[in-house]
Amino acid sequence: MTSGEILAELTPEEKASLCSGLDFWNLKSVTRLGLSSIMVTDGPHGLRKQAGKSDHLGIGDSVPATCFPVASAMACSFDRDLLVEVGGAIAEECLAERVSVILGPGANIKRSPLCGRNFEYFSEDPFLTGEMAAALIKGIQQKGVGTSLKHYAANNQETRRMTSDSVVDERALREIYLAGFERAVKKSGPWTVMCSYNRLNGTYACENKRLLSGILRDEWGFRGLVMTDWGAMDDRVDAVKASLDLEMPGSGGYNDMKILKALKSGVLSEGELDPVVLRIIELILASQKNLERHKGASCDMAAHHALARKAAAKSAVLLKNEGMLPIAPGKSIAVIGAFAKVPRYQGAGSSKINPTRLEGAFDALRAAGFEAEYEPGYEAAAGADMTALIEKAASLAAKKDAAIVFAGLPDEYESEGFDRSSLDMPESHNKLIEAVAAANPNTAVVLHLGAPVLLPWADKVKGILLMYLGGQASGAAAADLLSGAANPEGRLAETWPLSLEDTPPYRYYPGKGKTAEYRESIFVGYRHYDAAAKDTAYPFGYGLSYTSFEYSRLELEGASFKKGGALRAGVTVKNTGNREGAETVQFYVAAKSSAILRAPRELKEFVKVSLKPGESATVNVTLDERSFAYYNAPHARWALEGGTYTVFACSGSAGTCLGADIEVEGDGLEKALAPLREKAADYFSQGKGEFAVSGAAFEALLGRPLPPAERKPGEPFTVNDSLEDIKDTETGRQMAENFRAAAAAQAGGDPGLRLMMEKMVMEMPLRSISMLSPDLTPEKVEAVIGSINADNIGNTGNAG
């Protein structure tokens, strides 16, 4: 039967039932019509399929799978082909486990380095984000496994992620926060898109018709299925009207009944419901066909581990090298830091994979023939007194030709579910590096972490190698790079600032109460640092190599550009060093002068090229209309501002750029933005200090008044409030205590999971609390809220 024929045979009850999950990971079946239950599982940097029967939180033990480098690492590879290859390997493991859809990749922008889930996201730049996401999707889906591009959209913090309202102006939304999703959808067509938890400009993503239907489907041409993040459903009927297809996990039939009642009352029409059900049927049929084709599939886990090692090496970024690296053969080495034996190789939370094996750098260096001795220097758990361990480490370092310190961030410092409060590494890690560097001038540091940190000791060491969270083979990959068996080729996919105060959203992140105001607008990441002429620790696109490169002859085909045109640009790159290496050529576009708010330059293309010593190559790219365009909110369209633009070809390793000019014919639509010069003047006069704009200036950019950030006195509680909101009521206090205790028990001895669970419990909307306690049904939650509101009214009356 075709999907249309199946749809015609379904009863209203069956249609409503298909719109929600069977359990935490499986869709429902209609066996009489040949629809079987299919499985979706967590990703995104490997398969996380729960072993055995799933628990009600979906965090139990998972089957062994290859843990590849996380997105924050692999984005630094700037290597589309590598992402396709990794995606193919992930798909093979999905097929072997009979998994139909893997939940990823994440395409959210790194608005602030404090976001606890930044390790799951690619970049602060939307072009790079979109290209990396599209490549991973292509690799997975070309083998017949679906993906779920997430978290759509403007979900850029973990704090109050399930209830917060992201207040974003239209231009920033289009140019920064949606552009990566748009590129991935248009280039690779993910089977599914996952909506985010948060509100966007006042409306929950799950029921945001403009976001899901108007932009995603009508403008971008998306034809796949849209599902909720787990527990993100607000109003089920409004969500259907917005073209939200699948609720995950199910609500025990509660929301299915809402669909049925709305259908019977006429609030919801079959014309609105049927397209939703049809997309679910089509996903199930496509999955069934593919799983049948790959029945009995297996995969080569050893080959996947080798690929994970290659990916980690290609993604690592050499931040500093004063001639110390690679380590010369025959040198004695002090290998220091607990991460040298057991690296921190992935983030905490729903993406945590059970690796097939794990390699540490110390063992890999010994296997490579180095004379190496080890001292832990610190304990994995932060906070304990490490003085004795540091002293022993420094003593060992003083006896060796070189010292390598492995440090970074433990799980409890960054995780899904909560944001960091500072950019600091653990004090014990910083003190250890300082002590070792004082004992041995030939000291290098290897960093294992998911996001930028401050490096107060950077000028005291001779080398810094950034591995990010490099997956299960990151230790062996680090050894390959330290020994020279591999040449560093990663380039930073995000800016490393000199201080937290320098970050553009410093004053506004993560927001207050109900809202998160994106007052920095388009000035995210390097767009801000360039505009404010601020120094950084390490800029976007930066990364060193063991060889050197020279750029020459940047040429543009043509002297002018018109709407709908294409511009070919080419530059010659030469390896001027004595060993083979890979260079990422980054192409930026900049308007020489502009009447509107614009970043000084924006990444519009990149090409990675490998060259042997003395070898040259011409790198060519094609720039299209979007390469020069901006989003004109008053006219609700992409527009071209006329004038002279410079196309730059930049080297992240040499720190040089070549430029060539092109005349662009504009459309004149920028005249509609002229009033912002006066009304949003703060944006045109930013200096090197903290980024700051007035509420009035932000309102001018938004085109509407700012929504209230705090609850009104006496405002009734609703199902969209959290335990954090009701904790000062008697009932809320008791519930918070009970759920906190249950969360701690569920997490066991995992500190990262414990912190995530506690934050999640307190900040989850009450409508989703049944995920934590299935016995607390939606009906019971509504009764509890009614009781709390009645008590508050009574107390207010007595007080008066």
Side-chain angles (χ1 to χ4, degrees), residues 52-127:
K53 187 177 180 181
S54 63
D55 59 78
H56 64 279
L57 289 175
I59 59 173
D61 291 338
S62 57
V63 300
T66 307
C67 180
F68 290 97
V70 301
S72 66
M74 283 203 290
C76 296
S77 73
F78 280 73
D79 192 330
R80 298 173 178 91
D81 292 340
L82 178 65
L83 272 288
V84 170
E85 188 177 5
V86 167
I90 292 172
E92 289 174 3
E93 297 188 21
C94 288
L95 292 171
E97 289 290 341
R98 309 289 291 170
V99 169
S100 296
V101 177
I102 188 164
L103 305 177
N108 297 96
I109 291 295
K110 298 183 181 185
R111 180 184 172 220
S112 167
L114 294 179
C115 177
R117 207 172 183 179
N118 270 358
F119 59 84
E120 274 195 55
Y121 304 137
F122 291 109
S123 179
E124 65 190 29
D125 180 79
F127 182 83

Side-chain angles (χ1 to χ4, degrees), residues 595-680:
I596 64 174
L597 280 173
R598 294 197 86 146
R601 60 180 187 133
E602 294 180 304
L603 181 72
K604 296 301 179 181
E605 257 299 353
F606 60 87
V607 175
K608 193 166 192 175
V609 57
S610 294
L611 299 169
K612 295 178 180 177
E615 184 182 7
S616 297
T618 299
V619 173
N620 296 302
V621 298
T622 299
L623 302 176
D624 60 13
E625 184 179 328
R626 280 287 289 271
S627 301
F628 301 92
Y630 71 96
Y631 192 81
N632 189 300
H635 288 278
R637 53 167 284 191
W638 291 93
L640 285 175
E641 182 184 20
T644 304
Y645 288 71
T646 303
V647 176
F648 290 104
C650 297
S651 165
S653 58
T656 59
C657 290
L658 299 182
D661 290 348
I662 185 82
E663 292 298 318
V664 173
E665 183 180 300
D667 50 30
L669 297 183
E670 65 273 9
K671 294 174 185 177
L673 302 175
L676 292 178
R677 278 274 175 187
E678 179 181 349
K679 294 181 178 179

Side-chain angles (χ1 to χ4, degrees), residues 753-770:
L753 182 58
R754 177 180 57 80
L755 285 172
M756 182 193 82
M757 291 292 297
E758 287 182 357
K759 289 288 285 185
M760 182 176 71
V761 160
M762 293 305 295
E763 295 182 351
M764 176 181 286
L766 296 171
R767 59 176 157 78
S768 301
I769 208 109
S770 58

Side-chain angles (χ1 to χ4, degrees), residues 354-664:
N354 178 14
T356 57
R357 56 189 288 199
L358 188 61
E359 288 184 295
F362 174 67
D363 291 335
L365 285 167
R366 296 276 301 258
F370 284 96
E371 178 196 326
E373 288 188 56
Y374 168 78
E375 281 291 341
Y378 55 83
E379 295 177 357
D385 184 4
M386 311 289 184
T387 304
L389 292 174
I390 291 173
E391 288 176 353
K392 288 183 70 176
S395 176
L396 175 64
K399 301 172 185 175
K400 301 297 181 180
D401 296 325
I404 310 293
V405 182
F406 290 77
L409 293 176
D411 269 356
E412 60 265 37
Y413 272 65
E414 56 179 348
S415 169
E416 177 185 353
F418 62 88
D419 295 319
R420 291 190 289 165
S421 58
S422 80
L423 297 180
D424 296 330
M425 285 170 54
E427 184 181 10
S428 59
H429 289 226
N430 285 330
K431 285 184 175 180
L432 173 65
I433 295 167
E434 297 264 3
V436 171
N440 189 325
N442 292 315
T443 293
V445 176
V446 177
L447 293 171
H448 291 278
L449 36 71
V453 293
L454 303 182
L455 308 177
W457 36 261
D459 61 347
K460 298 176 183 177
V461 300
K462 288 191 174 179
I464 304 173
L465 178 63
L466 173 62
M467 298 301 298
Y468 274 106
L469 302 176
Q472 66 182 51
S474 59
D480 291 339
L481 293 160
L482 293 170
S483 67
N487 190 351
E489 56 187 70
R491 303 292 182 260
L492 288 178
E494 61 187 321
T495 306
W496 279 50
L498 286 169
S499 71
L500 179 58
E501 291 77 10
D502 282 346
T503 60
Y506 169 67
R507 291 192 175 196
Y508 313 109
Y509 189 91
K512 298 178 180 178
K514 293 183 173 184
T515 64
E517 296 178 1
Y518 287 47
R519 291 202 187 190
E520 68 280 4
S521 186
I522 62 171
F523 295 104
V524 177
Y526 70 84
R527 288 165 168 79
H528 163 70
Y529 297 105
D530 288 351
K534 281 184 182 177
D535 292 332
T536 60
Y538 304 102
F540 175 88
Y542 170 84
L544 303 177
S545 171
Y546 292 153
T547 189
S548 56
F549 301 94
E550 180 180 272
Y551 285 38
S552 63
R553 298 194 300 277
L554 172 63
E555 296 178 350
L556 306 181
E557 286 189 359
S560 63
F561 183 90
K562 296 181 179 180
K563 181 178 176 62
L567 176 68
R568 186 178 171 89
V571 67
T572 300
V573 183
K574 181 178 181 179
N575 183 342
T576 56
N578 58 10
R579 63 180 296 160
E580 185 174 355
E583 171 69 329
T584 296
V585 185
Q586 302 161 41
F587 290 86
Y588 295 84
V589 171
K592 280 205 165 182
S593 65
S594 177
I596 64 174
L597 280 173
R598 294 197 86 146
R601 60 180 187 133
E602 294 180 304
L603 181 72
K604 296 301 179 181
E605 257 299 353
F606 60 87
V607 175
K608 193 166 192 175
V609 57
S610 294
L611 299 169
K612 295 178 180 177
E615 184 182 7
S616 297
T618 299
V619 173
N620 296 302
V621 298
T622 299
L623 302 176
D624 60 13
E625 184 179 328
R626 280 287 289 271
S627 301
F628 301 92
Y630 71 96
Y631 192 81
N632 189 300
H635 288 278
R637 53 167 284 191
W638 291 93
L640 285 175
E641 182 184 20
T644 304
Y645 288 71
T646 303
V647 176
F648 290 104
C650 297
S651 165
S653 58
T656 59
C657 290
L658 299 182
D661 290 348
I662 185 82
E663 292 298 318
V664 173

Side-chain angles (χ1 to χ4, degrees), residues 293-348:
R293 187 187 306 124
H294 293 90
K295 201 169 185 178
S298 61
C299 52
D300 186 343
M301 289 301 198
H304 289 183
H305 180 78
L307 175 58
R309 183 171 182 169
K310 180 177 81 169
K314 285 180 170 291
S315 302
V317 183
L318 184 61
L319 297 179
K320 181 177 182 179
N321 188 22
E322 294 182 350
M324 180 182 169
L325 300 176
I327 303 168
K331 294 280 188 180
S332 62
I333 312 170
V335 178
I336 294 166
F339 287 169
K341 281 202 169 182
V342 182
R344 180 158 180 259
Y345 60 97
Q346 65 177 326

